[in-house]
């Protein structure tokens, strides 16, 4: 069971002292069956009290409130994690869902709710046509279909690191034929929802200690991927950026309906727009 130390730092520098508004932090890794969170802490400079809550998806959220002006803000989270994941997982999908198309149970439909609904306009059916191009027969193997769509995103598009905020729509990614990991995650989730499947976006970290994976220029980085609910197997992770399935190199922090709901650090300050000189984000993951 690999033991990892994860350090995620975010630094803001301002031209002059500014008054910071409340800042929301989504930095605490989620504990799931194959990931154990041994320890976690957040340090702030300037120091402030953190108020912890959980959102509707049970993501841990901390809110920082500041009282004095500052020209510098540093947020550092440190996690120690034990991973018991496998690179080649076997998914115990229920017999009723092994082949697509299949139907969720009434309770599953109710619980999945908005996670099965398409959230991006597709007026000319471009996205639907692209998704349907992966279906060569009906019925077809469900897991293979989803693998093909995930791999198809990597084949059709070029991965690019994009520092700017925001996420492309699925149609923008298909048209531009390029995108970041979060663009690929949004496209994959939209594709799964086109098939009537429950899918959600996941934000977290990519463990890349051997330097072989896309989406990181170091031992680790923030990352985004998708998960699809398959009866029997539960939530199954698909990472289009690396054409991988399962959570072997993934540490989740937030599961959300849309990418805009998963921002590691968000907040505002009172001042002029050009008062923010720079924002520096760094992630380091090491085996211990």
């Amino acid at each position: 069971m690999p033991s990892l130390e994860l350090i995620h730092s975010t630094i803001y520098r301002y031209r002059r002292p500014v008054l910071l508004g409340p800042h929301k932090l989504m930095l605490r890794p989620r504990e799931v069956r194959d990931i154990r969170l041994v320890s976690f802490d957040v340090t702030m400079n300037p120091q402030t009290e953190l108020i912890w809550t959980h959102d509707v998806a049970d993501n841990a959220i901390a809110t920082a409130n500041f009282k004095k002006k500052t020209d510098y803000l540093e947020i550092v989270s440190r996690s120690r994690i034990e991973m018991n994941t496998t690179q080649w997982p076997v998914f115990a999908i229920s017999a009723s869902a092994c082949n697509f198309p299949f139907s969720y149970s009434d309770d599953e439909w109710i619980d999945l709710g908005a996670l099965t609904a398409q959230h991006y306009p597709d007026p000319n059916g471009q996205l639907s046509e692209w998704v349907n191009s992966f279906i060569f027969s009906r019925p077809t193997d469900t897991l293979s279909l989803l693998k093909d769509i995930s791999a198809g995103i990597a084949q059709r598009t070029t991965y690019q690191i994009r520092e700017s905020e925001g996420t492309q729509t699925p149609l923008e990614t298909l048209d531009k034929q390029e995108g970041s990991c979060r663009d690929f995650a949004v496209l994959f989730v939209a594709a799964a929802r086109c098939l009537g499947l429950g899918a959600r976006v996941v934000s977290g970290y990519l463990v890349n200690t051997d330097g072989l994976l896309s989406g990181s220029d170091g031992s680790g980085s923030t990352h985004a991927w998708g998960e699809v609910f398959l009866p029997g197997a539960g939530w199954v992770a698909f990472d289009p950026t690396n054409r991988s399935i399962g959570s072997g190199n993934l540490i989740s922090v937030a599961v959300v309906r849309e990418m805009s709901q998963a921002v590691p650090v968000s907040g505002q300050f009172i001042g002029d727009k050009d008062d923010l000189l720079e924002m520096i984000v760094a992630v380091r993951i090491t085996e211990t």
Side-chain angles (χ1 to χ4, degrees):
M1 181 182 292
S3 181
L4 305 173
E5 181 182 49
L6 190 159
I7 300 176
H8 180 173
S9 67
T10 305
I11 296 174
Y12 297 88
R13 289 190 174 90
Y14 302 92
R15 189 180 307 277
R16 59 188 176 89
V18 298
L19 183 62
L20 300 173
H23 278 56
K24 185 175 76 170
L25 315 181
M26 299 182 76
L27 297 169
R28 182 185 176 93
R30 292 170 62 93
E31 286 200 82
V32 293
R33 178 181 55 81
D34 46 10
I35 292 181
R36 176 173 174 258
L37 184 61
V38 179
S39 65
F40 173 79
D41 70 85
V42 178
T43 57
M44 308 278 292
N45 183 11
Q47 294 184 353
T48 185
E49 180 185 3
L50 292 177
I51 300 173
W52 287 94
T53 58
H54 287 80
D55 64 12
V56 69
D58 202 34
N59 302 308
I61 298 175
T63 301
N65 294 295
F66 303 90
K67 298 179 180 179
K68 298 180 180 180
K69 290 185 176 182
T70 181
D71 60 0
Y72 178 86
L73 172 61
E74 181 180 30
I75 304 166
V76 180
S77 67
R78 293 177 174 85
S79 308
R80 291 183 67 88
I81 296 168
E82 290 181 349
M83 297 186 69
N84 190 28
T85 56
T86 176
Q87 296 297 324
W88 305 101
V90 176
F91 301 101
I93 302 173
S94 297
S96 61
C98 282
N99 291 321
F100 177 84
F102 66 88
S103 296
Y104 291 119
S105 69
D106 291 343
D107 285 341
E108 288 168 341
W109 272 118
I110 294 171
D111 292 337
L112 289 169
L115 298 181
T116 63
Q118 191 58 264
H119 296 284
Y120 293 94
D122 186 24
N124 299 319
Q126 180 184 350
L127 177 61
S128 297
E129 183 179 357
W130 181 75
V131 173
N132 287 327
S133 69
F134 292 94
I135 303 175
F136 301 106
S137 64
R138 289 178 182 263
T140 189
D141 184 80
T142 303
L143 195 60
S144 295
L145 173 59
L146 292 170
K147 286 181 179 179
D148 289 345
I149 292 174
S150 179
I153 293 174
Q155 291 170 352
R156 173 166 181 151
T157 57
T158 301
Y159 171 76
Q160 288 189 340
I161 296 177
R162 195 175 71 251
E163 301 295 342
S164 59
E165 296 181 357
T167 306
Q168 296 174 176
T169 68
L171 293 184
E172 286 176 332
T173 301
L174 288 177
D175 290 339
K176 292 181 179 180
Q177 298 185 12
E178 64 181 28
S180 66
C181 63
R182 60 185 184 271
D183 302 322
F184 293 174
V186 167
L187 173 56
F188 175 81
V189 167
R193 290 172 180 169
C194 270
L195 299 173
L197 302 180
R200 62 190 185 185
V201 177
V202 188
S203 175
Y205 300 100
L206 175 68
V207 180
N208 190 29
T209 52
D210 56 10
L212 300 177
L213 300 175
S214 300
S216 171
D217 57 0
S219 62
S221 68
T222 57
H223 197 55
W225 60 96
E227 288 183 346
V228 178
F229 183 78
L230 298 177
W235 289 102
V236 178
F238 293 85
D239 180 9
T241 303
N242 290 290
R243 307 187 189 188
S244 64
I245 181 172
S247 53
N249 296 89
L250 304 172
I251 299 173
S252 63
V253 171
V255 293
V256 292
R257 176 174 47 85
E258 291 301 332
M259 194 72 247
S260 60
Q261 298 172 310
V263 181
V265 178
S266 60
Q268 297 179 333
F269 66 91
I270 299 175
D272 297 330
K273 211 171 188 180
D274 61 356
D275 283 341
L276 178 61
L277 293 177
E278 64 177 349
M279 179 183 75
I280 303 172
V281 178
V283 174
R284 187 176 78 233
I285 300 177
T286 55
E287 292 190 21
T288 60

